[in-house]
Amino acid sequence: MSDFSNVRQVSWHSRGFLASQTAYVTLALALLVAAISVVAPEFLSFGNLSNVLTDFSYIGIVAFGSTLVIITGGIDLSVGSSMGLSAIIAAMLFRALGPTAVAAVPGAVLAISVVGGLAVGATIGLINGLLIAYTGLAPFVTTLGMLSIVRGLCYAITNGQGVDITGPEANLFFRLSDGTLLGLPVPLLYLLALGVMMGLLLHHTARGRYVFAIGGNERAAALTGVPVQRVKTGVYVLSGLTAALSGILLGGWLGSVPANLADGYELRIIAASVIGGANLLGGVGGPLGAIVGSALIEVIRNGLVLARVNTYWQQTVVGAIIIAAVLVDRLRSRRLGQ
Amino acid sequence: MTLLTLEDVGKSYGAVQALSNVSFQVGPGEIVGLMGDNGAGKSTLVKIIAGVFRQSEGTMRFQDKEVHFHAPVDARKAGIEVVHQDLAIADNLSAAANIFLGRELHRRIAGFRWLDHAAMAKRSGELFNELKSETRPGELVRRMSGGQRQAVAIARTRLADAKLILMDEPTAAISVRQIAEVLALILRLRDAGIAVLLISHRMPDVFDVCDRVVVLRRGRLVANKAIASSSPQEVTGLITGALETA
Ligand SMILES: Nc1ncnc2c1ncn2[C@@H]1O[C@H](COP(=O)(O)OP(=O)(O)OP(=O)(O)O)[C@@H](O)[C@H]1O
Ligand SMILES: [Mg+2]
């Protein structure tokens, strides 16, 4: 193209991915991993790394869904409760179907239980989405209410008791939720597969583009014919689905689903999304950010444990990281005059 | 044939009567200026024609057929495109993404429909060239000047085969040089047989490019005159109410 005098060519280091919050949080993560490895070499031991990767996968998977919601300018506080209820329903189905004729078909009990659990998450998301997109309720309040409703259901249907995952196919359940493949913990593989899917959805489909457009300028999106209400409903359904999947995996890891499974996880999940670069004002975010944000939180938690810091400090440190991440982003934007 | 006919169109927002008994016509390839003070009802009229709102009273005909637009898509299908006053573009997307928003180009890979980024960038580049605008398809709108944003909004209207383009204050908040570019562009649209309804607060814009001027005052049509038989002084009087009608 010609030499446009009024078009400022932005230098490479302040453009695209390199200029994003995700990029410098990735850098911070790399530096942190290097520092912890030097101070506490046991960090790099196979057992420890494998634990860290597993733990962060549970958060990361839900952070994908949460990030989608945040990109549209919404928020989903009900994910922790959805994880709990989906896992409880899946475990209950699994127990109930074990002694029935269904068990004659290999894998059927497991398949029905998992699909049942996922359906619970999707339904919670659908209710959130319909209320928010079609009746215009505020996402914060709607999903806060849902957090409480769903957690209440968790206690009510279990009477506060945990549900053990038992039955003829329990081992298959555990292999698929807590096994390893090629030496990698399976939750990490689910995370990576979902991350690729989310990247394709967001950047290479019209639906994904609408998610960004709604977060950037919802009114403009509506004026140009974007099906705003359907897309908004869709992101809450996906958020519920990721929560359900993660809850079921977490249940498989524990071998039993307590009524308070993932209680309070919503804050860690939203923190992971935000640290990774999702902007609560909408319009910005992505799967890489969700992964990096979750990893950063988990590495810090693990590092504090290895450094024998009182575990009560974890929350405080994670909170400080959230503020630091958005503060750095704010200062950088101001420097670029945006 | 007339392209657009409004008959006794009215619109109320609850107790506010924003428009009443507005009737006028736009012919094919005609450039009509729509003027009026702040709050006169210009944007409201544009939104009715564009299918954003339904009128409360009156009828609208397009190409001699009565039309009822339920959504902006309906108006767009009929051949009406709009540049909204606040441009209606998403800051966090690229110029090309905004131009194609809601009508993305796809290609099929492995049975799925994926965005065809290359084709959209290419077409956007062609549109910007056509508009002689110095705008890069891949640039984020957030980093753009007012004139470039305007070009993005105008380029959007050139995607489909529009017969009527509504422009709500396309020359507000841009530089003098960019104003000249936008006006030149409007003339080029006319040469291509496209009618334009141009809303502007700037008298020179209207007297430079329009064939006719329509004046609204407090929701009512107070003048509908050929530019050749009017003057900026007269139109100013009509807008402010110093002149009752013309
Ligand atoms: N969505 C709305 N709800 C209620 N009242 C509205 C709405 N939009 C416009 N109005 C009112 O309708 C009247 C006409 O507004 P409109 O925006 O059409 O004026 P305008 O001629 O475009 O003004 P401007 O030159 O400032 O853009 C005003 O009194 C305005 O306050
Ligand atoms: Mg207006």
Side-chain angles (χ1 to χ4, degrees):
Chain A
M1 271 205 203
S2 50
D3 51 333
F4 293 146
S5 51
N6 66 340
V7 182
R8 179 171 49 104
Q9 179 67 56
V10 187
S11 47
W12 60 270
H13 54 81
S14 51
R15 237 183 331 164
F17 174 74
L18 286 171
S20 67
Q21 180 177 329
T22 308
Y24 58 77
V25 174
T26 308
L27 182 68
L29 177 63
L31 293 176
L32 191 66
V33 166
I36 296 178
S37 311
V38 171
V39 179
E42 65 267 40
F43 176 78
L44 289 177
S45 74
F46 180 79
N48 187 61
L49 267 188
S50 170
N51 270 339
V52 171
L53 290 174
T54 307
D55 284 350
F56 108 82
S57 298
Y58 300 123
I59 299 293
I61 287 170
V62 197
F64 288 147
S66 158
T67 296
L68 283 176
V69 169
I70 290 173
I71 297 173
T72 65
I75 194 157
D76 189 351
L77 296 170
S78 67
V79 284
S81 301
S82 300
M83 287 173 75
L85 189 63
S86 305
I88 286 168
I89 297 293
M92 285 182 152
L93 282 171
F94 193 75
R95 279 182 73 131
L97 292 173
T100 65
V102 178
V105 184
V109 171
L110 181 61
I112 294 174
S113 315
V114 170
V115 169
L118 293 176
V120 169
T123 306
I124 296 168
L126 183 66
I127 297 171
N128 281 334
L130 292 175
L131 286 172
I132 291 163
Y134 289 88
T135 66
L137 295 188
F140 189 95
V141 181
T142 309
T143 60
L144 182 63
M146 195 56 84
L147 175 157
S148 186
I149 292 171
V150 173
R151 184 58 68 187
L153 287 175
C154 291
Y155 288 111
I157 64 174
T158 60
N159 251 324
Q161 311 287 304
V163 185
D164 290 339
I165 296 173
T166 53
E169 288 184 337
N171 278 325
L172 181 62
F173 195 137
F174 297 143
R175 266 214 310 285
L176 289 176
S177 59
D178 187 35
T180 58
L181 188 71
L182 308 169
L184 295 171
V186 286
L188 179 68
L189 299 177
Y190 290 119
L191 174 86
L192 296 177
L194 283 176
V196 170
M197 280 164 58
M198 180 173 162
L200 288 174
L201 170 79
L202 272 180
H203 298 293
H204 298 283
T205 72
R207 281 290 149 139
R209 184 155 280 177
Y210 298 164
V211 170
F212 282 109
I214 290 171
N217 187 344
E218 183 171 334
R219 223 184 49 80
L223 283 176
T224 53
V226 169
V228 173
Q229 294 169 323
R230 258 185 296 149
V231 173
K232 271 184 150 183
T233 308
V235 295
Y236 287 92
V237 171
L238 288 177
S239 177
L241 270 174
T242 55
L245 175 65
S246 174
I248 295 168
L249 293 174
L250 196 53
W253 178 65
L254 293 170
S256 161
V257 183
N260 69 348
L261 181 94
D263 199 14
Y265 270 36
E266 55 279 346
L267 293 184
R268 266 166 75 187
I269 289 159
I270 292 166
S273 309
V274 171
I275 290 174
N279 186 330
L280 287 173
L281 298 175
V284 185
L288 196 60
I291 292 178
V292 173
S294 320
L296 188 71
I297 291 184
E298 199 50 45
V299 166
I300 288 169
R301 278 161 47 89
N302 186 253
L304 292 175
V305 171
L306 294 180
R308 294 190 180 71
V309 175
N310 185 332
T311 49
Y312 294 132
W313 284 102
Q314 284 177 11
Q315 258 189 314
T316 305
V317 173
V318 168
I321 299 282
I322 295 174
I323 293 180
V326 293
L327 190 65
V328 173
D329 188 51
R330 183 83 206 103
L331 295 175
R332 187 192 59 89
S333 311
R334 197 172 293 171
R335 187 165 51 82
L336 291 179
Q338 288 173 0
Chain B
M1 185 185 83
T2 55
L3 188 61
L4 174 76
T5 308
L6 300 176
E7 267 173 19
D8 289 323
V9 167
K11 167 80 190 173
S12 50
Y13 298 105
V16 182
Q17 186 74 28
L19 288 176
S20 31
N21 297 94
V22 174
S23 306
F24 70 95
Q25 301 188 328
V26 179
E30 196 182 16
I31 306 182
V32 177
L34 177 58
M35 301 197 78
D37 217 337
N38 292 114
K42 306 180 295 295
S43 295
T44 302
L45 189 58
V46 162
K47 285 179 177 154
I48 288 171
I49 301 171
V52 180
F53 304 139
R54 301 280 314 262
Q55 69 266 37
S56 318
E57 300 98 29
T59 53
M60 186 158 67
R61 282 201 290 278
F62 195 67
Q63 297 188 303
D64 298 327
K65 277 199 296 285
E66 186 165 347
V67 286
H68 301 275
F69 299 143
H70 297 277
V73 196
D74 298 337
R76 201 192 284 165
K77 278 196 191 121
I80 300 175
E81 294 278 341
V82 203
V83 177
H84 286 284
Q85 186 162 11
D86 49 9
L87 298 184
I89 49 185
D91 251 12
N92 58 331
L93 295 182
S94 70
N98 269 289
I99 290 174
F100 282 92
L101 193 59
R103 42 187 162 178
E104 288 76 9
L105 300 181
H106 289 94
R107 56 190 178 145
R108 223 163 240 295
I109 302 174
F112 289 100
R113 279 154 51 84
W114 304 103
L115 292 178
D116 192 342
H117 299 285
M120 289 191 277
K122 181 161 172 287
R123 183 81 188 98
S124 306
E126 289 165 7
L127 287 171
F128 288 132
N129 272 347
E130 225 175 278
L131 304 180
K132 304 207 182 339
S133 169
E134 306 169 347
T135 307
R136 288 189 177 80
E139 187 93 24
L140 282 187
V141 169
R142 181 179 298 131
R143 297 181 189 276
M144 289 186 177
S145 72
Q148 290 177 314
R149 283 161 194 256
Q150 202 71 49
V152 172
I154 293 174
R156 276 190 64 81
T157 67
R158 302 294 299 128
L159 266 190
D161 187 21
K163 300 181 184 72
L164 171 65
I165 297 183
L166 313 171
M167 295 195 180
D168 198 349
E169 309 249 11
T171 54
I174 58 176
S175 74
V176 175
R177 191 177 75 110
Q178 289 164 339
I179 289 175
E181 283 170 12
V182 170
L183 295 182
L185 170 72
I186 291 172
L187 293 175
R188 250 174 275 141
L189 293 175
R190 191 228 3 235
D191 296 342
I194 298 164
V196 176
L197 184 63
L198 171 67
I199 295 183
S200 180
H201 276 291
R202 289 172 33 88
M203 213 51 79
D205 292 2
V206 171
F207 278 80
D208 277 0
V209 299
C210 293
D211 303 311
R212 212 146 43 79
V213 59
V214 168
V215 180
L216 288 180
R217 188 165 67 236
R218 290 203 226 112
R220 289 177 182 279
L221 188 133
V222 292
N224 180 354
K225 299 199 74 172
I227 282 293
S229 64
S230 186
S231 67
Q233 291 73 21
E234 183 186 36
V235 173
T236 306
L238 288 164
I239 291 172
T240 57
L243 283 174
E244 259 320 303
T245 49

